[in-house]
Amino acid sequence: MNQKSTPPIPEAIVQLQRQLDQFRSTQPRRTKLPESLWQAAVELARQHGIYSVAHRLRLDYMGLKKRLGGVPILRRKATKPTKPAFVELIAPQATPLEGCVIDFESPSGGKMRVQWKASAPRDWVSLLRAWRETEG
């Protein structure tokens, strides 16, 4: 089975979680948290992010965000993909050259066939003249 591994909870969050649990166990529901606990949560949110702190401590996300009051939050840097040290360039597959066949026939009945397998044909006019001269 493929299981995701969750990162360990930082000790400072665990300690504040214990304090919050203790406070909540001794107070009636919906009792406002003391300012000291909110301040501790704000400091942790600056270090670890608002969501992770609010989620772990079961605090109101928007309330915690408002308490940060526009103070910059330290965010974990996203790892940049490493630049490749080696790049392999693969040449395109060699395409077979198109060949051509040229048949010449003289008025006297002589025939010549030229089979050419190259990308650019030679000077066929000169070749034809030379052949006619020998036929002639």
Side-chain angles (χ1 to χ4, degrees), residues 1 4 6 18 21 23 28 44 48 50 55 62 69 78 87 93 98 102 112:
M1 246 187 224
K4 276 192 198 178
T6 57
R18 286 184 195 130
D21 288 343
F23 174 81
L44 289 174
H48 303 285
I50 300 170
H55 179 73
M62 292 307 293
V87 177
Q93 294 289 336
E98 295 293 323
I102 301 175
M112 178 176 67

Side-chain angles (χ1 to χ4, degrees), residues 90-131:
I90 301 173
Q93 294 289 336
T95 56
L97 297 175
E98 295 293 323
C100 64
V101 176
I102 301 175
D103 290 322
F104 295 111
E105 190 171 334
S106 69
S108 62
K111 294 181 180 181
M112 178 176 67
R113 173 176 273 191
V114 177
Q115 191 171 1
W116 188 260
K117 292 187 179 189
S119 57
R122 296 285 180 189
D123 184 7
W124 299 115
V125 176
S126 299
L127 180 62
L128 181 58
R129 282 190 191 131
W131 180 64

Side-chain angles (χ1 to χ4, degrees), residues 4-134:
K4 276 192 198 178
S5 63
T6 57
I9 302 170
E11 185 59 32
I13 293 177
V14 171
Q15 287 176 2
L16 185 56
Q17 188 176 28
R18 286 184 195 130
Q19 289 176 13
L20 282 169
D21 288 343
Q22 182 181 3
F23 174 81
R24 287 174 178 149
S25 68
T26 60
Q27 301 297 320
R29 281 182 77 98
R30 301 280 189 189
T31 302
K32 288 187 177 185
L33 293 178
E35 194 59 34
S36 60
L37 292 177
W38 273 114
Q39 279 307 111
V42 166
E43 291 302 316
L44 289 174
R46 282 193 184 111
Q47 296 171 8
H48 303 285
I50 300 170
Y51 175 78
S52 60
V53 171
H55 179 73
R56 299 276 187 210
L57 301 179
R58 295 177 299 156
L59 294 173
D60 176 41
Y61 176 87
M62 292 307 293
L64 183 58
K65 186 174 181 178
K66 285 178 187 175
R67 288 178 179 271
L68 280 166
V71 177
I73 302 167
L74 297 177
R75 296 181 188 258
R76 293 182 188 152
K77 293 181 181 179
T79 56
K80 293 181 181 178
T82 58
K83 293 182 180 179
F86 174 78
V87 177
E88 180 180 6
L89 300 176
I90 301 173
Q93 294 289 336
T95 56
L97 297 175
E98 295 293 323
C100 64
V101 176
I102 301 175
D103 290 322
F104 295 111
E105 190 171 334
S106 69
S108 62
K111 294 181 180 181
M112 178 176 67
R113 173 176 273 191
V114 177
Q115 191 171 1
W116 188 260
K117 292 187 179 189
S119 57
R122 296 285 180 189
D123 184 7
W124 299 115
V125 176
S126 299
L127 180 62
L128 181 58
R129 282 190 191 131
W131 180 64
R132 282 192 175 169
E133 287 175 4
T134 59

